[in-house]
Amino acid sequence: MKMDSPSPHNALDDNFQGLVGKPIDRIEGPLKVCGLAPYAYEVDEFEQPLYGWIVDSRIALGTLRDIDTSAAEKAPGVVHVMTHRNAPKQAPWGESGRDRFARARPQLHDDQVHACGQPVAFVVAQTLEQARAAAHLIRVDYAPRNGAYDMARHLADAVTPAEGDSGPADSAVGDFAGAFAGAAVRVESRFTTPNQCHAQMEPHAALAMWDGDRVTVHCSAQLLQSARKCLAATLAVPQKNVRIVSRYIGGGFGGKLPIYGDVILAALAARELGRPVKVALTRQQMFHTTTHRSETMQRVRLGASADGRLLAIGHDAIVHGGRRDDFYESAAVQTRTLYAGENRLTTHRRVPLDMPVADSMRAPGEAVGMLALEVAMDELSEVLGLDPIALRLANEPAEDPEKHVPWSTRQFRQCIEEGAKRFGWDERRPTPRATVRGRQWIGIGMAAATRGNLLMPSTCKVRLDGAGVLTAQMAMTDIGTGSYTVLTQVAAEMLGLPIDQVRMQLGDTDFPETAGSGGSFGAASAGSALFDACQNLRDALARKAGVDPGHAVFRAGHVGDGARSFRLAELAGTTGMEARGEIKPGAMEKKTSQQAYGAHFAEVAVDMDTGEVRLLRMLGVFAAGRILNRKTARSQVLGGMIWGVGAALFEAALLDPRHGTYVNHDLSEYHVPAHADIPALEAVFLHEVDPHANPLKIKGVGELGISGAGAAIGNAIYNACGVRLRDFPFTLDKVLAGLDD
């Protein structure tokens, strides 16, 4: 199936069993709460595994002058110590190409250090404790070199990046410079956002075992096919000789799109030793060894007429990246679509640094870009003397303002209006410091939310057996988002089966290939392939029953046409029946502009004496196509909103610019919101189906919740105390400095 035309009316629209949208509990939930869902490090598929421990570099750039492993090699239980001197030959670091996560990533292949946290040795022992103890006996002598770590000091090295995931680095429509200069009202603001690091509950981990010339690796990976290609390329073996298994993942958020040294080193050592080898990164290692979100420096320029009509929209972003990489944070991408305006300019510049690779982190681009754009819109509304909501609604575009194609669906206005009504926006007092409770100023703010919608090629196989049980197989992953659950709901509704008669088998490259989880495309892509497979099986079952497939009704384990009814189990027979399905993006992604939308509303209290900000309440209203499961979807957007609170008030990886290291590389000092920081949040979904997006008529929700959330809090802070902050996060020292001005 290819999305070359809008999806017609289908079985999910009929929803005869009412399973689509139903807030059922997670299918795998009982396994997880009982500790019976094995994550990568807990898999016991292989007997007597050995345990590995990574020794990571303490410098950011330089050469390994010497490495003394003699004491470690003699330590109790040690089986093998690997360094660049004895590591097996691997392919060189690969070019990015079309899939940057599939390139070769050699480990311990030479004496060069490119970033802090890079593995420099690998100890394998009989127990974890023995491997860890021996690792501390290794002595490394470095020859450090001066590197570039602080983006602000190296802006002269900025380059225009090549076209990335979000299209060209720059875009221009009309005469921005002339329109901005001639606008009656102008706002020009500069914003900074910090480095951020993933802190998934489950650390990166791997268990590798070879069977002849084929390796099986259990690991924590969002994109199984990319992981397979990467490992095969690194080891210079055929892809068919690599199997990646990742059935349960304790959080991904983009940090598990690539695979890292844990996977490569486990596979190398397992092949050398002929034994299973497992390894996990420590929490501290995760801050340097894996990817992070780039810091940004952004300039937003808005020019408007006196009545608030946008005439010029400009958004410039400077970001950093690893020197051996070409990814860039597309912070200006949402500015290309969200508001009307005839004269537009967006630019991205990338500063290469000697830092660990920066890459995707939940809602790359929009998560940080909307912090700047939506605060700037609030500033413009103040200068105009116009309500922030009125300003946004006055600049609703009739079509995509840069691509000049129609929206697939757009309920942006409805999200704002519904949110304003529910939150009590009409009670907001526009003058800062107008609402006081004791020694606190109270303020209300809002911001828009938008996130692009994607569809990626995916395939699926389904089989109905003689007991009436449907089994679906896909190399899809569940990163805690509810993939097992929503896919089960789709399959059960399509075939008219009870939930407990569907078996969803995911997380194995031996299954049909899917795009995996990431970019909010997981459910749409894998789910559409599943839909196609189920539709093909429906047609085959109907024909076997002598029922017109176009009028067949599947319900309660039967298929019929109103006059006749047949049990699916009997039709499947003793041999069962199989079908395959696939989805490919098509003309719809070019003929329409596909975005999910929302609006955030926040109320905060700012302490007059300390500058402390406390979130009092928060609401998000979203339109994201058909919602497959209201419970799991709500969980997704609430998680994104909470992450937005962290971006606004807490989260920053603090760089030591002398050494290229993060000084707060653990959860003791890297602050994320705790329960005490988050009141009861509310999330609402508007009814919507999008036939242009995919046959499920859904849009991704995983990253929509974070987009714009932090800006709503920043705008609420200004409404509370009159301090306009532009350097995220908005910690109390920055608030106090503003109060003193």
Side-chain angles (χ1 to χ4, degrees):
M1 177 184 295
K2 193 173 183 180
M3 282 303 298
D4 283 330
S5 59
S7 180
H9 185 91
N10 60 47
L12 300 186
D13 297 307
D14 293 328
N15 201 22
F16 287 131
Q17 299 194 133
L19 293 177
V20 174
K22 190 175 182 180
I24 69 172
D25 294 339
R26 291 176 183 266
I27 297 298
E28 81 287 5
L31 292 177
K32 288 181 176 177
V33 298
C34 294
L36 300 176
Y39 293 83
Y41 199 78
E42 302 166 330
V43 171
D44 59 1
E45 182 174 325
F46 310 120
E47 295 181 356
Q48 297 182 320
L50 298 170
Y51 295 81
W53 191 274
I54 294 174
V55 179
D56 52 306
S57 171
R58 300 305 179 186
I59 68 168
L61 185 67
T63 303
L64 300 176
R65 184 183 290 121
D66 188 31
I67 183 165
D68 183 357
T69 61
S70 57
E73 292 167 352
K74 298 174 184 176
V78 171
V79 177
H80 187 55
V81 178
M82 189 184 299
T83 70
H84 68 280
R85 294 171 176 166
N86 64 344
K89 185 178 179 180
Q90 302 158 70
W93 179 267
E95 296 295 326
S96 180
R98 296 185 63 182
D99 183 355
R100 64 183 182 275
F101 307 120
R103 62 182 162 195
R105 295 173 176 264
Q107 306 294 314
L108 310 180
H109 63 296
D110 60 26
D111 61 357
Q112 297 301 302
V113 175
H114 299 281
C116 182
Q118 175 183 315
V120 296
F122 186 58
V123 179
V124 183
Q126 299 289 350
T127 69
L128 168 66
E129 293 78 10
Q130 290 170 335
R132 179 178 59 195
H136 288 296
L137 299 177
I138 294 177
R139 297 293 175 259
V140 184
D141 183 17
Y142 298 99
R145 299 193 300 273
N146 293 328
Y149 312 122
D150 188 344
M151 186 175 78
R153 298 180 184 177
H154 296 276
L155 296 181
D157 298 332
V159 298
T160 302
E163 183 168 330
D165 296 340
S166 301
D170 299 348
S171 70
V173 176
D175 177 15
F176 168 79
F180 184 71
V185 179
R186 295 189 298 272
V187 165
E188 179 172 352
S189 299
R190 296 177 184 270
F191 301 85
T192 59
T193 64
N195 291 292
Q196 295 178 345
C197 294
H198 296 96
Q200 303 98 330
M201 186 177 294
E202 179 204 16
H204 299 260
L207 168 64
M209 178 59 189
W210 289 79
D211 182 5
D213 59 0
R214 190 171 195 251
V215 63
T216 296
V217 181
H218 292 263
C219 61
S220 193
Q222 294 178 233
L223 310 179
L224 297 191
Q225 299 302 330
S226 295
R228 183 186 201 183
K229 293 173 183 176
C230 173
L231 186 56
T234 304
L235 303 184
V237 300
Q239 290 183 32
K240 65 180 182 179
N241 289 357
V242 175
R243 179 190 177 206
I244 303 292
V245 183
S246 194
R247 295 193 177 98
Y248 302 102
I249 301 173
F253 311 117
K256 293 176 181 175
L257 294 174
I259 56 172
Y260 302 95
D262 56 308
V263 174
I264 307 296
L265 292 170
L268 288 172
R271 185 170 60 180
E272 289 285 295
L273 301 172
R275 293 268 302 277
V277 174
K278 65 167 56 179
V279 58
L281 299 184
T282 67
R283 179 64 61 187
Q284 291 78 11
Q285 286 175 334
M286 289 172 63
F287 278 76
H288 288 100
T289 303
T290 69
T291 59
H292 63 279
R293 193 197 298 280
S294 166
E295 63 181 315
T296 75
M297 299 171 66
Q298 302 179 55
R299 177 177 63 162
V300 179
R301 291 173 287 173
L302 303 174
S305 61
D307 62 356
R309 185 170 64 89
L310 284 169
L311 305 174
I313 305 175
H315 194 161
D316 306 303
I318 302 174
V319 304
H320 81 256
R323 194 172 296 280
R324 296 193 298 168
D325 194 49
D326 55 9
F327 171 82
Y328 70 95
E329 186 86 21
S330 53
V333 65
Q334 72 289 316
T335 309
R336 298 173 180 174
T337 68
L338 190 53
Y339 298 115
E342 296 178 359
N343 304 285
R344 319 172 66 85
L345 177 68
T346 68
T347 68
H348 295 91
R349 298 295 178 265
R350 180 179 181 276
V351 179
L353 299 177
D354 299 301
M355 292 282 293
V357 171
D359 212 296
S360 297
M361 187 169 177
R362 195 174 198 165
E366 290 94 338
V368 288
M370 295 200 71
L371 296 177
L373 175 64
E374 287 301 292
V375 171
M377 286 290 287
D378 211 62
E379 294 183 59
L380 179 61
S381 72
E382 182 192 14
V383 175
L384 288 164
L386 194 62
D387 183 89
I389 286 179
L391 173 64
R392 287 168 172 83
L393 296 184
N395 289 283
E396 266 279 80
E399 63 177 6
D400 187 298
E402 297 199 11
K403 295 180 181 177
H404 299 296
V405 295
W407 310 108
S408 59
T409 57
R410 181 177 169 109
Q411 292 199 81
F412 179 54
R413 174 183 293 272
Q414 292 88 333
C415 288
I416 289 180
E417 292 176 341
E418 180 68 19
K421 180 176 66 176
R422 288 173 175 262
F423 205 71
W425 182 262
D426 57 353
E427 298 177 5
R428 171 184 178 268
R429 302 174 72 178
T431 304
R433 304 190 185 185
T435 303
V436 178
R437 296 178 192 166
R439 296 294 298 169
Q440 294 179 325
W441 290 300
I442 308 300
I444 291 176
M446 63 83 56
T450 187
R451 171 68 181 170
N453 187 63
L454 295 173
L455 181 66
M456 305 292 283
S458 296
T459 58
C460 176
K461 182 177 77 172
V462 295
R463 185 177 189 278
L464 183 69
D465 65 21
V469 173
L470 181 78
T471 299
Q473 292 183 331
M474 290 179 284
M476 176 56 176
T477 51
D478 189 329
I479 56 177
T481 51
S483 297
Y484 281 103
T485 306
V486 298
L487 294 175
T488 296
Q489 288 175 262
V490 169
E493 186 59 50
M494 288 293 294
L495 271 301
L497 294 170
I499 289 290
D500 60 7
Q501 285 186 239
V502 175
R503 307 286 182 266
M504 198 58 54
Q505 296 182 351
L506 308 177
D508 193 328
T509 54
D510 279 354
F511 298 157
E513 182 174 345
T514 74
S517 298
S520 295
F521 55 66
S525 303
S528 294
L530 173 65
F531 171 94
D532 190 44
C534 289
Q535 184 63 57
N536 292 335
L537 183 57
R538 279 169 59 101
D539 292 348
L541 286 164
R543 286 192 293 267
K544 189 171 184 178
V547 174
D548 179 2
H551 296 89
V553 174
F554 286 75
R555 186 186 297 171
H558 290 72
V559 58
D561 56 8
R564 299 169 297 166
S565 180
F566 303 88
R567 288 185 63 234
L568 297 183
E570 293 179 357
L571 292 173
T574 57
T575 58
M577 294 178 64
E578 281 189 6
R580 291 181 176 267
E582 67 172 355
I583 189 67
K584 294 180 180 179
M588 286 295 94
E589 69 174 11
K590 295 182 179 179
K591 290 182 177 180
T592 61
S593 182
Q594 299 182 16
Q595 303 280 135
Y597 294 99
H600 295 284
F601 295 81
E603 183 179 46
V604 303
V606 179
D607 191 285
M608 298 179 185
D609 302 306
T610 68
E612 180 187 23
V613 178
R614 301 293 296 184
L615 178 66
L616 301 179
R617 59 191 178 109
M618 194 169 184
L619 164 69
V621 179
F622 307 99
R626 170 179 282 136
I627 302 302
L628 296 177
N629 181 313
R630 291 195 170 268
K631 181 179 291 188
T632 58
R634 179 177 181 272
S635 176
Q636 281 293 287
V637 296
L638 287 180
M641 291 166 66
I642 292 169
W643 205 331
V645 176
L649 301 179
F650 304 105
E651 193 169 351
L654 303 177
L655 176 72
D656 183 336
R658 301 167 301 170
H659 305 298
T661 60
Y662 299 125
V663 296
N664 56 337
H665 55 278
D666 56 46
L667 291 180
S668 174
E669 298 296 335
Y670 184 81
H671 291 169
V672 297
H675 284 291
D677 301 309
I678 304 297
L681 307 186
E682 185 178 1
V684 176
F685 290 100
L686 302 184
H687 174 73
E688 181 177 276
V689 292
D690 189 345
H692 304 87
N694 49 70
L696 305 185
K697 305 178 184 179
I698 69 173
K699 295 177 180 176
V701 301
E703 295 165 298
L704 181 61
I706 189 178
S707 301
I713 293 173
N715 294 337
I717 292 172
Y718 178 78
N719 180 245
C721 66
V723 177
R724 179 67 73 186
L725 300 173
R726 302 177 183 88
D727 176 25
F728 288 85
F730 299 155
T731 49
L732 59 84
D733 55 316
K734 298 172 186 176
V735 177
L736 281 175
L739 293 174
D740 292 339
D741 289 344

